[in-house]
């Protein structure tokens, strides 16, 4: 629970308080960087919604509850992009290896820091593994071709 300053008297007030205990001034909730939770079904909504998109019930501004938006992990997004690119432009599997490393580190950070982006981490990891596997396949095929040429 964080403390915020009252706009009227400047005293510290709980962010969950409806009004300042010192002067009675209503506390305006900062909604930037937060998502709203439906009081009826608990669904996650945008702040500007007046009707729940999940249960289609009208929302009461006095009963509004908010939850902080999760930050998306940047390493998992970059790893996902590297994994996707590695299918088209690959240099000896280096992009695939980089994608696997970035997505692995990103998934650990997601778990430790309670961030979002696990989708990017998992699929970037799989794309990177696929790229590495294809590179290994090409190397084996290349070796077999060389052996065929020199055995003739």
């Amino acid at each position: 629970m964080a403390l915020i300053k009252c706009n009227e008297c400047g005293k510290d007030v709980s962010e969950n308080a409806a009004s300042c205990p010192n002067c009675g001034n209503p506390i305006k909730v900062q909604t930037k960087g937060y998502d709203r939770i439906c009081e009826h079904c608990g669904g996650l909504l945008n702040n500007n919604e007046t009707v729940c998109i999940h249960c289609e019930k009208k929302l009461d501004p006095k009963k509004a509850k908010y939850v902080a938006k999760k930050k998306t992990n940047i390493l998992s997004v970059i790893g996902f992009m590297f994994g996707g690119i590695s299918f088209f432009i690959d240099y000896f599997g280096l992009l695939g290896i980089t994608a696997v490393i970035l997505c692995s580190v990103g998934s650990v950070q997601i778990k430790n820091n309670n961030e979002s982006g696990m989708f990017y981490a998992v699929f970037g990891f799989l794309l990177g593994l696929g790229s590495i596997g294809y590179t290994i396949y090409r190397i084996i095929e290349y070796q077999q071709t060389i052996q065929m040429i020199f055995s003739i």
Side-chain angles (χ1 to χ4, degrees):
M1 173 173 64
L3 294 176
I4 57 175
K5 298 277 185 195
C6 174
N7 295 336
E8 191 69 29
C9 66
K11 299 274 184 176
D12 287 334
V13 181
S14 168
E15 68 180 355
N16 297 332
S19 62
C20 176
N22 186 49
C23 67
N25 184 47
I27 302 298
K28 184 175 182 180
V29 179
Q30 292 283 353
T31 59
K32 187 175 183 182
Y34 289 84
D35 284 326
R36 185 172 181 178
I37 299 174
C38 175
E39 59 265 16
H40 305 289
C41 69
L44 205 56
L45 309 166
N46 290 329
N47 288 330
N48 57 356
E49 300 287 341
T50 57
V51 176
C52 179
I53 58 173
H54 305 288
C55 66
E56 299 179 355
K57 292 184 179 176
K58 188 171 167 87
L59 300 171
D60 186 3
K62 295 178 184 176
K63 295 181 182 178
K65 293 181 184 177
Y66 297 92
V67 64
K69 289 183 181 180
K70 288 184 177 182
K71 185 180 97 173
T72 303
N73 185 279
I74 193 70
L75 285 180
S76 61
V77 174
I78 293 171
F80 177 74
M81 291 181 347
F82 273 40
I85 293 170
S86 69
F87 265 82
F88 302 105
I89 306 170
D90 200 351
Y91 189 70
F92 300 113
L94 294 179
L95 286 175
I97 293 168
T98 305
V100 167
I101 292 170
L102 287 174
C103 290
S104 299
V105 173
S107 66
V108 170
Q109 287 181 349
I110 288 168
K111 185 167 173 86
N112 292 342
N113 301 335
N114 195 22
E115 297 175 330
S116 66
M118 190 57 84
F119 168 84
Y120 297 114
V122 169
F123 283 104
F125 185 84
L126 293 174
L127 288 169
L129 281 181
S131 175
I132 293 168
Y134 182 67
T135 301
I136 292 170
Y137 168 76
R138 288 187 313 188
I139 290 170
I140 291 170
E141 186 179 272
Y142 177 74
Q143 287 176 345
Q144 289 173 350
T145 305
I146 296 295
Q147 288 175 354
M148 273 182 26
I149 291 171
F150 288 115
S151 68
I152 296 177

